[in-house]
């Protein structure tokens, strides 16, 4: 048993509260357990308790042992002055405690303690791996809906920070985020510079591949690579450009269709063929129309190359459906949500959520892990929520703050009372 678990059991009334009495024998009725306080002071504030014949409003302190009241200095702490009750598992104080005390003793179901210990010691995919089937499906689904909103709101802040840096230019801010989705850090190529040269696909490729550092460091060249090198040398001298280090890019363990060279060439093609892209996204409604905005093909050179100097019979030169859906999930939907947040317009926030509901679920080891628990995952909205669950709740083992954990532990109460 931990103090955290004992606080949890008090908060959710998962204790045997029949005929509760203080150490002095006064009956205690818990009308309201209070609101958990994570700052200084007692563990629960605004509780309502009937002690004896009097109804009190105030705070409740939770300790494993009553001796901790004095050991932790609560008796001399002004922030604990309004404490109505000390709730402890065991009464161990050697001297009288200055507030009424309840000793829970065997009122705590041992299954709570043993299950919590197993959760904290678990080395499985998620702590509740062996208990997940116990969770109520309605609670799981409602929790995922909340986590989806939490994930979208989490993505709003960096977008708005970038927007401020870009002087509230939504198109430029979207372009920066989109470039990161393609694996390219656009800070090395000013937005205005690309806009100026968007009519020439050759110059766009030269700029992007040159600034990536991949163009200058290739060991094998051909006529097209030499053209790009010459073009980049001219542009770099004209605009005083400095490329990033080529070692930042990874080719090993990457499918050729996802090689950085191919992705950068496709990004150049997107800039070349599109204008006011974010404005079009705001206007579009159907997911098929949004997908069509990203159906692009790199220049003809990339029909037979994945990297410079290595010719092949054919390539996947177009941006595939999986890559497009990845952009819609990780860039378009967050931007729609952020735009709605910025303008206090729920329509765009709902549009972002609807888009995720219409896109297929993501396929990665985390999503596959949840599927192995027989959890049905229907779309990207649910897979995004599960990624949020895994990152912020399962990995740090915040089981007592998780609604799935609550459902699992709550099940023991039903067993006890049935």
């Amino acid at each position: 048993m931990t103090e955290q678990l004992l606080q949890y059991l008090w908060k959710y009334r998962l204790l045997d509260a029949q005929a509760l009495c203080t150490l002095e024998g006064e009956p205690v009725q818990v009308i309201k357990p209070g609101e958990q306080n994570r700052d200084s002071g007692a563990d629960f504030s605004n509780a309502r308790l009937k002690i004896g014949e009097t109804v009190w409003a105030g705070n409740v302190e939770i300790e494993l042992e009553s001796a901790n009241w004095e050991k932790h200095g609560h008796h001399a702490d002004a922030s604990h002055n309004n404490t109505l009750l000390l709730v402890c598992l065991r009464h161990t104080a050697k001297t009288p405690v200055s507030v009424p005390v309840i000793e829970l003793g065997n009122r705590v179901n041992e299954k709570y303690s043993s299950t919590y210990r197993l959760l904290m010691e678990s080395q499985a995919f998620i702590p509740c791996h062996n208990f997940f089937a116990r969770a109520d499906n309605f609670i799981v689904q409602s929790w995922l809906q909340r986590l989806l909103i939490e994930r979208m709101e989490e993505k709003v802040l960096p977008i708005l920070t970038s927007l401020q840096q870009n002087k509230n230019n939504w198109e430029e801010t979207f372009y920066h985020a989109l470039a990161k989705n393609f694996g390219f850090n656009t800070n090395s190529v000013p937005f205005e510079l690309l806009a100026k040269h968007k009519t020439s696909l050759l110059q766009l490729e030269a700029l992007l591949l040159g600034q990536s550092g991949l163009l200058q460091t290739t060991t094998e060249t051909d006529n097209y690579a030499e053209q790009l090198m010459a073009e980049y040398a001219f542009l770099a001298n004209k605009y005083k450009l400095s490329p990033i280090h080529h070692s930042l890019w990874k080719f090993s363990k990457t499918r050729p269709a996802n090689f950085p060279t191919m992705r950068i060439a496709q990004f150049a093609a997107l800039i070349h063929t599109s204008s006011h892209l974010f404005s079009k996204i705001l206007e579009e409604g159907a997911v098929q129309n949004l997908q069509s905005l990203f159906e692009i093909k790199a220049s003809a050179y990339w029909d037979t190359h994945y990297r410079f100097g290595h010719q092949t019979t054919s390539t996947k030169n177009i941006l595939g459906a999986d890559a497009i859906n990845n952009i819609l999930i990780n860039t378009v939907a967050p931007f729609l949500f952020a735009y709605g947040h910025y303008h206090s317009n729920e329509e765009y926030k709902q549009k972002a959520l609807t888009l995720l509901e219409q896109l297929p679920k993501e396929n990665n080891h985390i999503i596959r892990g949840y599927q192995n628990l027989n959890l049905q995952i229907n779309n990207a909205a649910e897979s995004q929520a599960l990624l949020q669950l895994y990152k912020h709740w399962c990995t740090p083992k915040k089981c007592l703050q998780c609604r799935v954990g609550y459902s699992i532990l709550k099940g023991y109460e039903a067993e006890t009372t049935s």
Side-chain angles (χ1 to χ4, degrees):
M1 177 64 68
T2 66
E3 186 176 317
Q4 185 183 28
L5 177 58
L6 196 59
Q7 291 173 356
Y8 178 88
L9 299 178
W10 173 266
K11 178 178 179 178
Y12 291 107
R13 299 174 179 261
L14 300 178
L15 302 162
D16 177 11
Q18 298 298 315
L20 277 176
C21 289
T22 66
L23 295 178
E24 287 74 26
E26 283 195 287
V28 176
Q29 180 185 349
V30 181
I31 302 170
K32 178 185 173 185
E35 301 159 7
Q36 193 158 14
N37 172 35
R38 302 193 184 279
D39 295 322
S40 60
D43 295 317
F44 289 86
S45 60
N46 300 319
R48 285 179 60 82
L49 308 172
K50 185 177 181 181
I51 303 177
E53 298 299 321
T54 306
V55 175
W56 300 87
N59 304 332
V60 174
E61 179 68 18
I62 308 292
E63 297 283 359
L64 289 180
E65 300 184 6
S66 60
N68 289 340
W69 173 259
E70 187 168 337
K71 182 178 179 180
H72 294 165
H74 299 326
H75 67 295
D77 184 357
S79 65
H80 284 74
N81 283 350
N82 196 31
T83 302
L84 300 176
L85 188 69
L86 171 63
V87 178
C88 65
L89 190 63
R90 297 176 297 275
H91 177 50
T92 57
K94 301 300 184 183
T95 57
V97 179
S98 56
V99 295
V101 178
I102 286 179
E103 181 182 25
L104 294 175
N106 59 5
R107 291 177 177 269
V108 178
N109 188 338
E110 177 56 30
K111 287 186 177 180
Y112 294 134
S113 182
S114 60
T115 300
Y116 180 68
R117 184 173 62 254
L118 290 172
L119 291 174
M120 293 301 101
E121 294 174 354
S122 173
Q123 298 298 314
F125 163 64
I126 56 174
C128 65
H129 184 279
N130 295 327
F131 302 94
F132 194 84
R134 295 180 60 95
D136 181 272
N137 186 62
F138 176 80
I139 291 178
V140 172
Q141 294 305 318
S142 63
W143 180 230
L144 291 181
Q145 290 174 16
R146 174 179 163 182
L147 290 179
L148 175 61
I149 302 299
E150 179 184 289
R151 185 167 182 82
M152 298 303 286
E153 290 176 342
E154 186 178 281
K155 292 184 175 185
V156 165
L157 183 58
I159 291 175
L160 296 185
T161 300
S162 180
L163 180 67
Q164 186 178 25
Q165 294 169 348
N166 295 322
K167 300 178 181 178
N168 290 340
N169 186 326
W170 280 97
E171 292 290 347
E172 180 174 355
T173 305
F174 180 72
Y175 150 80
H176 279 282
L178 187 61
K180 289 180 181 178
N181 210 151
F182 275 82
F184 189 74
N185 181 359
T186 58
N187 293 330
S188 59
V189 186
F191 178 71
E192 297 81 2
L193 192 55
L194 289 176
K196 182 181 295 187
H197 294 277
K198 78 182 303 293
T199 56
S200 171
L201 183 54
L202 178 71
Q203 289 184 333
L204 285 174
E205 285 191 17
L207 274 170
L208 291 171
L209 288 163
Q211 283 301 95
S212 73
L214 295 171
L215 184 59
Q216 304 89 318
T217 56
T218 181
T219 57
E220 299 184 44
T221 63
D222 50 31
N223 289 338
Y224 189 70
E226 289 172 359
Q227 272 187 281
L228 292 177
M229 288 177 183
E231 191 66 41
Y232 177 71
F234 169 76
L235 295 170
N237 181 64
K238 181 178 180 180
Y239 298 111
K240 310 301 180 189
L241 300 174
S242 298
I244 62 177
H245 201 275
H246 66 92
S247 63
L248 295 173
W249 302 97
K250 306 298 180 186
F251 285 87
S252 62
K253 298 182 180 179
T254 302
R255 293 186 297 115
N258 290 327
F259 275 3
T261 43
M262 178 65 82
R263 281 286 181 247
I264 292 173
Q266 289 170 338
F267 183 58
L270 180 63
I271 297 172
H272 178 63
T273 57
S274 63
S275 60
H276 305 292
L277 186 55
F278 187 61
S279 296
K280 293 177 181 177
I281 288 170
L282 292 175
E283 295 170 2
E284 289 294 349
V287 64
Q288 296 86 351
N289 293 342
L290 289 171
Q291 289 168 328
S292 68
L293 294 174
F294 298 94
E295 291 174 351
I296 55 172
K297 182 178 182 296
S299 62
Y301 176 80
W302 303 101
D303 287 339
T304 54
H305 294 79
Y306 285 113
R307 58 196 306 176
F308 295 115
H310 294 271
Q311 188 167 352
T312 185
T313 54
S314 64
T315 68
K316 292 184 178 180
N317 190 355
I318 62 171
L319 197 62
D322 288 344
I324 291 174
N325 287 338
N326 179 274
I327 290 170
L328 295 180
I329 292 168
N330 293 297
T331 303
V332 173
F335 260 77
L336 286 171
F337 197 90
Y339 189 84
H341 175 89
Y342 183 83
H343 291 284
S344 299
N345 189 323
E346 292 298 319
E347 179 183 349
Y348 287 108
K349 295 169 79 170
Q350 185 56 52
K351 183 176 180 179
L353 301 179
T354 301
L355 172 61
L356 291 173
E357 290 170 355
Q358 293 174 335
L359 291 170
K361 65 178 181 291
E362 294 147 285
N363 181 20
N364 53 52
H365 76 281
I366 296 174
I367 301 306
R368 290 192 293 273
Y370 283 109
Q371 286 179 309
N372 290 337
L373 299 176
N374 294 321
L375 179 63
Q376 184 176 349
I377 308 168
N378 301 301
N379 51 52
E382 293 178 0
S383 64
Q384 280 285 292
L386 287 168
L387 292 176
Q388 187 75 0
L389 176 65
Y390 184 82
K391 177 182 178 182
H392 292 289
W393 304 86
C394 297
T395 300
K397 295 189 175 182
K398 294 170 64 175
C399 304
L400 295 183
Q401 288 81 50
C402 173
R403 298 297 293 174
V404 177
Y406 167 79
S407 179
I408 291 169
L409 290 171
K410 183 73 173 176
Y412 289 130
E413 182 188 42
E415 290 179 3
T416 303
T417 57
S418 62

